[in-house]
């Protein structure tokens, strides 16, 4: 007869790609391996894993790893060289953190029943006429859609660039890719909003966009996947649409990175769309990604989106609504302070 204990659970967790060291990083700071060796401590060990990895608790107590909620119904997009198995650990972490964040929110979900044009207008109204990283971010929170960073997932766990997770009919957007470009993260958020607006998710389900910044693979898969095509179309239409397209089409096919940056800044002032997006759209049109990425580095206004994501998240939550251990976990993984 198999003995159900912490050692067995650690062995089973290898199936979802988690080592003992990584699991210990997900447990409270005060946790000691000695605790999990005791009967009551083992039960507490299973409870923590259930809450922090979105596992079914009764199954865990019997020595079985069964994911629940949105972590059990996942579509992986743009996988490049990643398998679903290699992404299961980050999926479980993202789902558990999203559940904690949603539980700490006081603003109800207002439903994403917007067309790209109506959402673009909504974003401009919030941004005083501007479509920017911050106005898109604030628009999400105004609708009750949290945007959640995951900078502190344990080392060695493969993450997605972005994701949208739906829990009890409420969506949350995950940003796992660490990137200093506001334009890229704005596009990822807009892409995930496209999944929500187009009804691509079930009541409890997830779409993990694994490599939205792997340009060649991303573009190829997007053209062959209806959901990804629709999410892209929503994002591009919402982020300036034909106005941006018209400007980009007027630019020569071969200009320097510095010239791309200068033209992007000028167009931003005229159309009211953040400058980095023009450089990004130029890359999508010409496939000259290295020059466009260099152009983004010239645009100082395109930098440091991560601090804004954390700041908005921290001030949008009421930690009195969740238990101390969930609060500690949300803060640990997202990098915010309660």
């Amino acid at each position: 007869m198999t003995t159900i204990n912490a050692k067995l659970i650690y062995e089973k967790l290898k199936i979802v790609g988690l080592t003992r060291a990584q699991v210990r990083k997900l447990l409270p700071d005060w946790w000691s391996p000695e605790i999990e060796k005791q009967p009551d401590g083992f039960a507490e060990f299973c409870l923590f894993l259930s809450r922090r990895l979105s596992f079914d608790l009764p199954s865990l107590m019997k020595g079985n790893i069964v994911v629940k909620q949105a972590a059990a119904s996942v579509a992986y997009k743009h996988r490049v060289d990643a398998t679903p198995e290699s992404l299961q650990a980050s999926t479980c972490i993202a789902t558990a953190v999203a559940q904690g964040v949603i539980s700490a929110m006081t603003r109800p979900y207002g439903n994403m029943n917007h067309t790209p044009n109506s959402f673009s207008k909504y974003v401009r109204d919030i941004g005083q006429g501007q479509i920017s990283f911050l106005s898109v971010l604030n628009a999400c929170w105004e609708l009750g859609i949290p945007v959640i960073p995951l900078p502190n997932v344990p080392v060695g766990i493969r993450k997605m660039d972005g994701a949208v997770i739906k829990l009890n009919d409420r969506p949350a957007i995950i940003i796992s890719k660490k990137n200093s470009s506001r334009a890229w993260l704005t596009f990822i958020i807009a892409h995930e909003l496209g999944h929500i607006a187009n009804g691509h998710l079930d009541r409890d389900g997830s779409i993990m966009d694994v490599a939205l910044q792997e340009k060649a693979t991303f573009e190829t898969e997007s053209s062959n996947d209806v959901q990804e095509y629709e999410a892209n179309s929503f994002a591009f239409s919402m982020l300036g649409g034909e106005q941006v397209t018209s400007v980009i089409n007027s630019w020569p096919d071969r200009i320097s990175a510095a010239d791309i940056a200068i033209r992007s800044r000028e167009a931003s002032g005229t159309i009211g769309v953040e400058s980095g997006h023009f450089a990004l759209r130029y890359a999508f049109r010409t496939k000259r990604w290295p020059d466009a990425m260099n152009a983004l580095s010239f645009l100082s206004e395109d930098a440091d989106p991560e601090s804004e994501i954390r700041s908005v998240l921290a001030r949008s939550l009421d930690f009195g609504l969740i238990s101390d251990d969930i609060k500690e976990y949300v803060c640990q993984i997202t990098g915010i302070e309660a």
Side-chain angles (χ1 to χ4, degrees), residues 248-307:
I248 296 303
N249 286 344
S250 72
W251 295 359
D253 286 345
R254 302 201 65 82
I255 52 179
S256 69
D259 199 4
I260 295 171
I262 292 168
R263 289 170 182 260
S264 295
R265 189 169 282 150
E266 290 173 348
S268 174
T270 302
I271 296 178
V273 176
E274 208 159 44
S275 57
H277 185 61
F278 289 90
L280 203 57
R281 287 287 292 275
Y282 181 77
F284 274 102
R285 182 175 77 79
T286 64
K287 316 304 181 199
R288 294 180 59 225
W289 289 98
D291 288 330
M293 297 305 100
N294 284 335
L296 289 177
S297 70
F298 291 137
L299 297 168
S300 58
E301 66 269 28
D302 187 58
D304 194 26
E306 288 92 352
S307 63

Side-chain angles (χ1 to χ4, degrees), residues 191-204:
H191 179 93
E192 304 308 340
L193 286 168
H195 283 308
I196 300 169
N198 283 289
H200 294 164
L201 292 103
D202 297 327
R203 176 181 171 83
D204 285 289

Side-chain angles (χ1 to χ4, degrees), residues 314-325:
R315 68 172 181 260
S316 300
L317 302 183
D318 180 353
F319 284 112
L321 297 175
I322 57 178
S323 63
D324 287 344
D325 70 296

Side-chain angles (χ1 to χ4, degrees), residues 60-77:
L60 204 58
M61 293 289 293
K62 296 176 183 177
N64 299 313
I65 307 298
V66 178
V67 296
K68 63 180 182 179
Q69 295 179 308
S73 178
V74 188
Y76 291 101
K77 310 283 189 175

Side-chain angles (χ1 to χ4, degrees), residues 73-89:
S73 178
V74 188
Y76 291 101
K77 310 283 189 175
H78 313 300
R79 288 187 293 147
V80 194
D81 60 343
T83 63
E85 292 76 19
S86 69
L87 295 154
Q88 193 164 10

